[in-house]
Amino acid sequence: MTTDLRAILLAALCLAAPAAAQPCAEPGFDAALAALEAQGWTRAEALTPAQADALAWTRAITYIEGDDGGRTPAEILELQRKAGAGLLRRVDTDSTRSAVLTRGDEAMTLTQTVTAPGRIERQCRLATAAPVPGTDPIDTTGWPGAPLLADLTFIFPEETE
């Protein structure tokens, strides 16, 4: 199954789930933020060391699920820790909105991008202490100390806000 088809099927399944179970699937970026805040997530302005570490794990998902570039998990995590602080300074544009959210020592990135005319893609990447309802955690075999990780992608035909 192609990655695009898998993402569309995942989005369809998640959109069919109750909003409380998948707050990232709420129509509209602001609605998704509000649903996440209702579950205890807060938009981060600064990070504790534990939150910075969790954020690094969300950034490492790409490497965990694919090509590690020949780097060790420790090297990748160190690079992602350094990059994490920059995420707090990201500025929204007409085509991309993003937020870093925290809940205790957990972290999440929420990114929404116009990927084609009339097509919005939203991605939620989480490093959590408990499983995310309705999704299987990412296999972190070979990545010592990894928290539970989830990577959710939703496709929307247009912005609803």
Side-chain angles (χ1 to χ4, degrees), residues 60-150:
I61 289 172
T62 300
Y63 302 95
I64 293 168
E65 290 186 318
D67 185 0
D68 62 14
R71 296 188 181 267
T72 67
E75 290 170 325
I76 290 169
L77 286 169
E78 186 56 31
L79 288 171
Q80 297 311 317
R81 281 184 192 96
K82 291 176 183 176
L87 293 178
L88 297 178
R89 295 188 301 270
R90 286 180 84 175
V91 176
D92 291 344
T93 67
D94 290 340
S95 61
T96 302
R97 295 181 71 186
S98 65
V100 173
L101 302 147
T102 57
R103 183 174 63 189
D105 290 341
E106 301 172 315
M108 170 194 300
T109 58
L110 172 65
T111 306
Q112 179 171 294
T113 304
V114 176
T115 56
R119 177 187 156 113
I120 306 279
E121 185 172 317
R122 185 177 306 140
Q123 185 172 48
C124 292
R125 289 187 165 179
L126 301 92
T128 65
V132 175
T135 186
D136 292 326
I138 292 172
D139 179 6
T140 56
T141 303
W143 291 79
L148 291 172
L149 299 172

